[in-house]
Amino acid sequence: MAPVAIKICGLSTEATVAAAIAAGADLVGFVHFEKSPRHVSLDRGRVLSAQAKGLAERVVLLIDPDDTLVAAAVQALDPDWIQLHGRESPDRVAAIRAMTGRRVMKALGIATRADLAQVAAYAATADRLLLDAKPPPGADLPGGNGHAFDWDLLVGADLPATYMLSGGLTPDNVAEALARTGARAVDVSSGVETRPGEKSPERMAAFVAAVRI
């Protein structure tokens, strides 16, 4: 069986990109969303993505982007993946995938079992689903809030084998999350930070080590 895939998202400096890759991240994510403490401009994203090319799969995270932004992000970062973390519909996911020729990862917020009802429609158009904790009411950020959802909601659910588990994962709880869900891919951002937007090389290494025990 292939090892669990690890995505470290919200990288914003050359040093932390290097540290994430050195730790063993399979995917590295760059957030282009101005409200986020992890936001990088497209020019910064271009530099960081180029640094990671050939060393890890590169993901650009966008939220409800229009076609102009999608095209600009692809031109700047040349990503392997586009992660959509807003309210994009399945049709919009399919349109972005067709327009760019890039693989698309769609984040879905989960708080109750009813939230899993949307999985089938998105699984038909996205290359991968990222199951994240639904943000609390009034939150500025659709992800990266450091909250986990009840992993037991996924027990017995009809999920694509490639889904990625996200939301509140840390070096201390990721092994339990994997044991309870059977997920084969995980995504971390705030759980490897010392403060919002500031990645810790030590925490990133500890997270990868916890997954790869």
Side-chain angles (χ1 to χ4, degrees):
M1 183 181 293
V4 173
I6 299 171
K7 173 173 170 276
I8 297 180
C9 198
L11 297 163
S12 58
T13 67
E14 288 89 344
T16 53
V17 169
I21 293 168
D26 302 290
L27 303 95
V28 291
F30 308 107
V31 175
H32 184 73
F33 182 59
E34 290 187 359
K35 290 183 178 180
S36 171
R38 304 165 188 96
H39 169 71
V40 294
S41 68
L42 295 185
D43 283 341
R44 284 292 297 147
R46 184 196 309 271
V47 172
L48 299 174
S49 183
Q51 178 187 349
K53 186 173 184 178
L55 302 172
E57 294 184 18
R58 299 158 300 150
V59 183
V60 61
L61 187 155
L62 304 172
I63 295 173
D64 299 312
D66 60 20
D67 288 355
T68 300
L69 177 55
V70 170
V74 169
Q75 195 280 328
L77 277 79
D78 185 27
D80 300 290
W81 292 85
I82 298 169
Q83 179 176 330
L84 299 174
H85 218 108
R87 299 178 180 274
E88 302 88 1
S89 68
D91 286 346
R92 181 62 177 152
V93 171
I96 290 174
R97 189 172 179 269
M99 179 178 82
T100 62
R102 308 297 166 118
R103 288 173 289 172
V104 175
M105 183 185 304
K106 177 68 180 97
L108 301 178
I110 307 297
T112 68
R113 191 169 291 275
D115 292 320
L116 295 173
Q118 60 191 322
V119 164
Y122 282 101
T125 59
D127 296 279
R128 176 169 246 161
L129 299 184
L130 187 150
L131 304 184
D132 196 4
K134 184 176 283 188
D140 285 334
L141 304 178
N145 291 295
H147 301 297
F149 64 91
D150 180 1
W151 301 318
D152 291 339
L153 294 173
L154 305 184
V155 175
D158 185 11
L159 301 171
T162 59
Y163 85 88
M164 181 172 277
L165 182 66
S166 186
L169 297 178
T170 71
D172 299 318
N173 69 12
V174 68
E176 179 190 357
L178 291 170
R180 285 170 58 182
T181 64
R184 302 303 303 161
V186 290
D187 169 68
V188 67
S189 185
S190 60
V192 291
E193 292 178 344
T194 50
R195 60 184 180 184
E198 192 171 298
K199 292 291 185 288
S200 161
E202 294 78 17
R203 287 187 66 77
M204 288 191 285
F207 185 87
V208 173
V211 171
R212 299 266 158 86
I213 287 174

